[in-house]
C-alpha cells in the first residue's frame, strides 16, 4: 500500500470537529495520520499521571475511516512541569547561554533526569499502543539537532574522549595540544568549544562535534530499544531535515532506524521567490534515500505557505502536488503532508496546513484530493519501486564538521560545493545516490567525492577498490588535508589520495572574493571550452596523471589545475579548484561520457526526469517545474499512469507544473 497521509493535531481543536476532519481526510484519500509528537502536556499532564483517552478517541474516529496512525514520541517539546524541575534540563548554546522555556528542542540530550522522564513516557505510550491495530509505527522525537555545551555534556564529552583515546598522552599528541600549552594533565580540564573560549583546537572541536552527534544517536537508541521491545510489530523512524542539516552525522542516526523520514519544504522558511529551484529538494531526497540505501518517507511534505512570524510565498496552483510527486520520483514510498489545518495559535500560527485557520476546504485541499485519487489508482505500482543510479556523490559529515571549524577560505562552503556539482548532474537528468565514503560503491560507474577533507585509511581503501574495479572517481581540492584528528597531514596533498590521483599539490592559492583564474582545457573533448577556477586554486604537479586543464593566469599560468590518472581499469580525475557553474556543467558532460553514463532524457530547463524500477518494469517520472507548458521528446512508449493515456516515442507536451508517470511498455523478451 502506498501511504498517503497528513500530520494531525487533534489536541488543537474542539473534539466535536474530529468526525468532520476524519471525513475530509478520507475524502482526500488519506490512509494515515501522524499524531502526538508535540503532545506531552496532554499525554502526561502532571508528573506520573498519564492520559491516553483523548488520543484513543481520536484514533478510533480515524480508524472508522480506515486511517492508520504513526505516533510521535513527544520528547521534542517537554512540558513546563518537567522543565521547571531544574535549569540543568535546558541545553547550553554555543554562545554559552542556557536556553529557557518557551520554544521546543530546548533539552540537553545527555541530562540523566531527562532520560528518566523520556524512558517513562515512551514506555507508557509503547505499552498502551502496542496492541492498537491502527498504529503502524513510531516517529522518535522530532528533528533532532542543536549541540549542547552544558556542564553535563562536558563531563560526558570527557568520558567519550577517555574511551576514544585511552590516555591523555595519546589525546595530547593527536590534538597537537602542545600548541599554546594546551597539554591536559587531567580529563576534567578538557573544555567544550563554546564561542567565549575563542577559536578552539581543531582536534578538540571535531571530537566535540562527533560527540554531540553521538549524543543524539544514543538518546534516540534509548527510545528505539524501548519501542522495539514493547512494539515489535511497529516500524521505528525519525524525521530528518534533508541535505542541509549539518549538525548530526545522519548516516549514524539512520543506522538504528527501520526507515528514514524526511521533512520537505521546497519553498523553505519565509521564502517568497516565484520559482523554486528543483535541484534543492532533489538533492535532499537523494541524501535521505542514501542514508540507508532504501526508499524513505516524506513525513512532512509542504502543504501551504510557510512562516512563523511572517508568511512565506504561497505555493502556486499545482506546486504542492508537483513537489509531492517529486518526492515520490526520488524514492518516497509515503507522502504525509504537514499539516492538516493551520493552527490558530502558537509560534507556528502562520505555517499553513492544507486547510486554512477556518477549516473550510479550499484550493490546496482540492489539489491534494485530486492527488489522493491518483495515488489510490497508481500507488501499488509505485510503492517499493527502486532507484538504481549509476552515479554516486560521497557525503562526509566528518569533513563537513571539520569545515565548520576551519573552512579554509571565507567563501568556501562544503554544502555549496556539493550542491554546485549535484546541480550540474540534476540539470542533465542523471540520477544520483548520495552515499557515505565507506559505502559499497561497486554498483556505480562514476563516484564524485567533493572535498573529502578528513580522510581515513578506510575511505581511501574503499575508493581505491572502486577505481581498481574500473570506476571513474572524481576528487576535488581540499581533499585529504586533515587526518581523523583534524590535524593537517604530514604529506603532500591530497595526502592519502595522492598516489591514486597521480598528482601532488605543489602550492595552493586562495583567491579573493569574486576573482577567478581562467582555465585552458588541453584534453580531447574539452579543448576550447571556457570555464574558470574560483575560491581555491591547487597548483598541481603530475606524478603520472594526464593534464586536463591548466591555469591561464597569475604566476602559475600554464600549471595543471585538473588532471586524469589511469589506474588499472579505472580513472581518477583531480579537480584542483571549486570553480564556477560553467566549470561543473562542462566537466559533468565529459565525466559522464568517460564513465559511460547516459542522462535519462534531454529535457528543457526546469523539466526534471527520474526513473524508478518496479522489478524490471521502468517507471519514468517527468516533472515540469516551470509555469509554462513544456515539450519533451520521449525515447520510449508506455502508459501515463496518471490519466491512463498511452504515450508513444516522440514529442509530448506537459502542462505547467504537471507530472507524467510513465509505466514503460514491457519489452518483448520479457513477455516471452
Ligand atoms: C518542521 C517541524 C514541524 C514544524 C515545521 C514548520 O521542521 O518538524 O514540527 O515546525 O517544521 O515549521
Amino acid at each position: 500500500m502506498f501511504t498517503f497521509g497528513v500530520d494531525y493535531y487533534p489536541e488543537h481543536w474542539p473534539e466535536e470537529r474530529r468526525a468532520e476532519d476524519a471525513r475530509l481526510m478520507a475524502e482526500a484519500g488519506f490512509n494515515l495520520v501522524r499524531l502526538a509528537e508535540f503532545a506531552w502536556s496532554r499525554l502526561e499532564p502532571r508528573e506520573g499521571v498519564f492520559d491516553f483517552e483523548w488520543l484513543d478517541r481520536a484514533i478510533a474516529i480515524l480508524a472508522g475511516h480506515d486511517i492508520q496512525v504513526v505516533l510521535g514520541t513527544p520528547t521534542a517539546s517537554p512540558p513546563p512541569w518537567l522543565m521547571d524541575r531544574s535549569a540543568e534540563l535546558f541545553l547550553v548554546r554555543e554562545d554559552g547561554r542556557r536556553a529557557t522555556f518557551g520554544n521546543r528542542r530546548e533539552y540537553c540530550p545527555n541530562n540523566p533526569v531527562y532520560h528518566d522522564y523520556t524512558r517513562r513516557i515512551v514506555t507508557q505510550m509503547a505499552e498502551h499502543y502496542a496492541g492498537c491495530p491502527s498504529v503502524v509505527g513510531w516517529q522518535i522525537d522530532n528533528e533532532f539537532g542543536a549541540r549542547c555545551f552544558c556542564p553535563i555534556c562536558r563531563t560526558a564529552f570527557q568520558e567519550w574522549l577517555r574511551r576514544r583515546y585511552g590516555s591523555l598522552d595519546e589525546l595530547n599528541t593527536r590534538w597537537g595540544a602542545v600548541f599554546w600549552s594546551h597539554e591536559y594533565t587531567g580529563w576534567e580540564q578538557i573544555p567544550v568549544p563554546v564561542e567565549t573560549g575563542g577559536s578552539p583546537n581543531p582536534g578538540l572541536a571535531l571530537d566535540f562535534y562527533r560527540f554531540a552527534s553521538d549524543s543524539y544517536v544514543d538518546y534516540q537508541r534509548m527510545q528505539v530499544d524501548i519501542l522495539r521491545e514493547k512494539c515489535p510489530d511497529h516500524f521505528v523512524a525519525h524525521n530528518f531535515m534533508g541535505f542541509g542539516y549539518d549538525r548530526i552525522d545522519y548516516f549514524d542516526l539512520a543506522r538504528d532506524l527501520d526507515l528514514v523520514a524526511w521533512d520537505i519544504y521546497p519553498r523553505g522558511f519565509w521564502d517568497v521567490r516565484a520559482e523554486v529551484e528543483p535541484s534543492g529538494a532533489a538533492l535532499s531526497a537523494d541524501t535521505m534515500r542514501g542514508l540507508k540505501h532504501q526508499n524513505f518517507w516524506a513525513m512532512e511534505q509542504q502543504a501551504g505557505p510557510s512562516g512563523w512570524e511572517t508568511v512565506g510565498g504561497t505555493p502556486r496552483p499545482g506546486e504542492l502536488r508537483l513537489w509531492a510527486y517529486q518526492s515520490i520520483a526520488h524514492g518516497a514510498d509515503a507522502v504525509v503532508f504537514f499539516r492538516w489545518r493551520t493552527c490558530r495559535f502558537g509560534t507556528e500560527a502562520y505555517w499553513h496546513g492544507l486547510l486554512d485557520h477556518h477549516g473550510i476546504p479550499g484550493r490546496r485541499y482540492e489539489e491534494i484530493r485530486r492527488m489522493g485519487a491518483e495515488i489510490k489508482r497508481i500507488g501499488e505500482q509505485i510503492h517499493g519501486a527502486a532507484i538504481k543510479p549509476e552515479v554516486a556523490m560521497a557525503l562526509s559529515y566528518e569533513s563537513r564538521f571539520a569545515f565548520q571549524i576551519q573552512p579554509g577560505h571565507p567563501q568556501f562552503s562544503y554544502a555549496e560545493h556539493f550542491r554546485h556539482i549535484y546541480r550540474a548532474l540534476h540539470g542533465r537528468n542523471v540520477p544520483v545516490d548520495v552515499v557515505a565514503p565507506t559505502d559499497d560503491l561497486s554498483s556505480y560507474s562514476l563516484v564524485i567525492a567533493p572535498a573529502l577533507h578528513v580522510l581515513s585509511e578506510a575511505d581511501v581503501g574503499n575508493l581505491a577498490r572502486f577505481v581498481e574495479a574500473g570506476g571513474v572517481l572524481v576528487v576535488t581540492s581540499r581533499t585529504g588535508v586533515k587526518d581523523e584528528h583534524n590535524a593537517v597531514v604530514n604529506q603532500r596533498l591530497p595526502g592519502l589520495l595522492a598516489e591514486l590521483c597521480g598528482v601532488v599539490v605543489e602550492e595552493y592559492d586562495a583567491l579573493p572574493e569574486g576573482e577567478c583564474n581562467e582555465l585552458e582545457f588541453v584534453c580531447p573533448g574539452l579543448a576550447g571550452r571556457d570555464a574558470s577556477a574560483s575560491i581555491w586554486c591547487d597548483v598541481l604537479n603530475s606524478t603520472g596523471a594526464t593534464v586536463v586543464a591548466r591555469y591561464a593566469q597569475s604566476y602559475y599560468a600554464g600549471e595543471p589545475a585538473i588532471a586524469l590518472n589511469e589506474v588499472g581499469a579505472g580513472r581518477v580525475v583531480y579537480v584542483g579548484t571549486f570553480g564556477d557553474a560553467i566549470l561543473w556543467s562542462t566537466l559533468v558532460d565529459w565525466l559522464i561520457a568517460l564513465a559511460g553514463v547516459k542522462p535519462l532524457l534531454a529535457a528543457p530547463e526546469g523539466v526534471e526526469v527520474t526513473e524508478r524500477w518496479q522489478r524490471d518494469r521502468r517507471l519514468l517520472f517527468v516533472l515540469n517545474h516551470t509555469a509554462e507548458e513544456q515539450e519533451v521528446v520521449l525515447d520510449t512508449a508506455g502508459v501515463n499512469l496518471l490519466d491512463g493515456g498511452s504515450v508513444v516515442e516522440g514529442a509530448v507536451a506537459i502542462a505547467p507544473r504537471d507530472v507524467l508517470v510513465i509505466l514503460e511498455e514491457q519489452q518483448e523478451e520479457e513477455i516471452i
Side-chain angles (χ1 to χ4, degrees):
M1 184 185 74
F2 193 96
T3 299
F4 194 63
V6 72
D7 300 315
Y8 183 37
Y9 302 89
E11 67 275 23
H12 293 172
W13 304 98
E15 198 152 340
E16 308 82 80
R17 169 72 191 198
R18 289 189 195 157
E20 172 72 350
D21 281 340
R23 186 185 66 77
L24 287 171
M25 286 177 192
E27 266 181 38
F30 292 139
N31 53 27
L32 179 130
V33 298
R34 183 190 65 181
L35 294 171
E37 84 280 12
F38 295 117
W40 198 338
S41 70
R42 289 292 169 96
L43 297 166
E44 189 179 2
R46 276 169 291 123
E47 180 169 354
V49 177
F50 298 94
D51 178 6
F52 298 116
E53 277 177 27
W54 66 272
L55 189 54
D56 295 347
R57 289 197 297 276
I59 292 174
I61 293 174
L62 294 160
H65 291 270
D66 292 329
I67 296 174
Q68 297 184 317
V69 170
V70 168
L71 287 173
T73 69
T75 47
S77 60
W81 63 254
L82 165 51
M83 296 310 274
D84 205 33
R85 282 182 55 107
S86 149
E88 286 194 343
L89 289 161
F90 290 90
L91 60 76
V92 170
R93 301 218 168 80
E94 194 162 359
D95 63 4
R97 293 171 66 188
R98 211 180 260 285
T100 53
F101 194 82
N103 200 275
R104 63 176 174 182
R105 300 225 53 78
E106 58 239 316
Y107 66 85
C108 159
N110 285 304
N111 185 295
V113 176
Y114 200 74
H115 286 193
D116 288 345
Y117 282 92
T118 297
R119 268 191 290 269
R120 190 158 70 169
I121 184 72
V122 174
T123 306
Q124 288 282 333
M125 284 183 83
E127 285 176 349
H128 188 83
Y129 288 106
C132 175
S134 291
V135 176
V136 292
W138 295 85
Q139 172 190 296
I140 291 181
D141 203 286
N142 192 85
E143 296 186 338
F144 282 126
R147 294 171 180 145
C148 174
F149 296 75
C150 80
I152 289 174
C153 287
R154 180 176 169 184
T155 308
F157 176 47
Q158 291 160 352
E159 273 310 306
W160 185 95
L161 291 169
R162 200 198 286 267
R163 287 197 299 278
R164 184 173 172 87
Y165 291 99
S167 76
L168 283 169
D169 274 355
E170 177 71 5
L171 173 144
N172 283 327
T173 307
R174 296 297 187 180
W175 286 1
V178 60
F179 189 76
W180 284 350
S181 275
H182 284 190
E183 285 166 302
Y184 300 98
T185 53
W187 295 97
E188 70 290 349
Q189 297 159 3
I190 300 171
V192 291
V194 276
E195 271 165 25
T196 45
S199 201
N201 174 297
L204 178 146
L206 179 58
D207 274 337
F208 184 75
Y209 290 179
R210 288 178 174 128
F211 157 80
S213 174
D214 285 358
S215 299
Y216 284 108
V217 174
D218 292 348
Y219 177 69
Q220 176 180 262
R221 187 177 306 121
M222 180 177 91
Q223 298 202 29
V224 170
D225 289 346
I226 297 169
L227 294 170
R228 287 222 203 289
E229 188 204 322
K230 306 275 177 200
C231 306
D233 299 332
H234 297 166
F235 70 76
V236 181
H238 170 72
N239 55 337
F240 291 65
M241 290 180 271
F243 172 80
Y245 194 72
D246 62 2
R247 293 297 192 262
I248 296 180
D249 185 325
Y250 268 181
F251 290 104
D252 289 345
L253 194 67
R255 206 159 290 132
D256 291 324
L257 300 169
D258 294 310
L259 61 88
V260 166
W262 167 45
D263 297 345
I264 163 64
Y265 297 99
R267 213 176 263 284
F269 267 75
W270 309 290
D271 192 340
V272 290
R273 281 174 305 162
E275 297 299 330
V276 169
E277 143 114 50
S279 73
L283 171 56
S284 277
D286 292 346
T287 307
M288 298 298 96
R289 200 182 60 248
L291 297 179
K292 289 186 80 69
H293 290 258
Q294 71 184 34
N295 293 347
F296 58 89
W297 278 36
M299 192 61 110
E300 295 184 13
Q301 180 78 46
Q302 185 159 357
S306 50
W308 281 13
E309 295 80 24
T310 56
V311 181
T314 295
R316 291 355 207 184
E319 274 188 334
L320 298 180
R321 171 176 171 272
L322 172 72
W323 294 336
Y325 274 115
Q326 188 188 22
S327 297
I328 295 172
H330 284 267
D333 271 344
V335 174
V336 182
F337 290 90
F338 184 89
R339 52 189 156 161
W340 175 239
R341 180 169 171 186
T342 318
C343 197
R344 291 179 39 241
F345 36 70
T347 304
E348 294 191 358
Y350 289 126
W351 199 285
H352 291 69
L354 282 179
L355 304 186
D356 285 322
H357 299 97
H358 50 62
I360 302 164
R363 172 176 73 80
R364 298 195 303 279
Y365 173 84
E366 287 307 324
E367 184 173 317
I368 296 313
R369 192 164 75 111
R370 171 184 164 204
M371 182 174 180
E374 291 166 350
I375 291 291
K376 259 195 192 137
R377 284 200 318 276
I378 72 171
E380 208 177 309
Q381 278 154 297
I382 294 171
H383 186 262
I387 300 201
K388 307 184 219 167
E390 292 175 90
V391 179
M393 288 185 70
L395 170 61
S396 160
Y397 283 96
E398 299 253 297
S399 298
R400 216 167 173 181
F401 292 167
F403 280 125
Q404 286 162 13
I405 300 154
Q406 292 180 311
H409 187 291
Q411 265 79 52
F412 174 67
S413 147
Y414 176 80
E416 271 316 301
H417 182 44
F418 204 98
R419 282 193 187 107
H420 221 50
I421 301 171
Y422 179 89
R423 204 175 281 134
L425 291 159
H426 181 264
R428 280 157 184 71
N429 296 312
V430 173
V432 176
D433 267 348
V434 176
V435 301
T438 46
D439 282 350
D440 178 4
L441 303 173
S442 57
S443 63
Y444 304 109
S445 306
L446 172 64
V447 171
I448 304 180
L452 274 191
H453 202 50
V454 176
L455 201 59
S456 68
E457 298 272 0
D459 297 334
V460 173
N462 198 40
L463 297 173
R465 268 192 302 283
F466 165 73
V467 174
E468 277 148 21
V472 176
L473 171 70
V474 181
V475 173
T476 72
S477 53
R478 307 314 285 148
T479 291
V481 177
K482 296 293 189 85
D483 68 15
E484 285 164 281
H485 306 280
N486 211 7
V488 177
V489 297
N490 202 6
Q491 294 151 312
R492 293 203 294 179
L493 300 182
L496 292 175
L497 270 175
E499 201 185 321
L500 201 68
C501 293
V503 292
V504 290
V505 177
E506 283 295 332
E507 287 195 39
Y508 42 67
D509 188 19
L511 297 185
E513 187 172 6
E515 226 173 76
C516 32
N517 192 321
E518 265 160 50
L519 292 170
E520 188 201 333
F521 287 99
V522 292
C523 91
L526 285 173
R529 303 289 294 267
D530 285 329
S532 302
S534 62
I535 298 190
W536 195 274
C537 297
D538 283 338
V539 181
L540 304 180
N541 187 359
S542 165
T543 54
T546 309
V547 178
V548 172
R550 301 180 187 282
Y551 296 104
Q553 289 154 331
S554 192
Y555 73 93
Y556 45 91
E559 299 295 337
I562 303 173
L564 165 76
N565 198 29
E566 313 256 349
V567 183
R571 276 159 290 186
V572 185
V573 177
Y574 187 92
V575 181
T577 182
F578 294 117
D580 57 6
I582 300 172
L583 174 66
W584 284 103
S585 181
T586 306
L587 283 179
V588 157
D589 285 332
W590 177 69
L591 289 167
I592 59 175
L594 208 61
V597 174
K598 289 204 174 58
L600 294 180
L601 202 68
E605 205 183 318
V607 176
E608 182 181 20
V609 183
T610 73
E611 63 179 20
R612 288 181 68 168
W613 292 85
Q614 193 60 279
R615 289 174 292 280
D616 47 10
R617 291 296 290 280
R618 188 164 89 121
L619 288 153
L620 198 68
F621 291 79
V622 186
L623 304 117
N624 179 2
H625 289 276
T626 75
E628 292 84 42
E629 183 179 286
Q630 301 285 351
E631 188 182 277
V632 288
V633 181
L634 294 176
D635 55 4
T636 187
V639 179
N640 178 15
L641 293 179
L642 294 176
D643 63 10
S646 56
V647 279
V648 291
E649 271 179 51
V652 54
I654 170 163
R657 300 196 172 103
D658 202 5
V659 182
L660 307 176
V661 182
I662 300 167
L663 178 65
E664 208 173 47
E665 231 165 48
Q666 223 156 0
Q667 305 302 312
E668 259 177 56
E669 324 73 281
E670 291 164 22
I671 297 166
I672 295 163

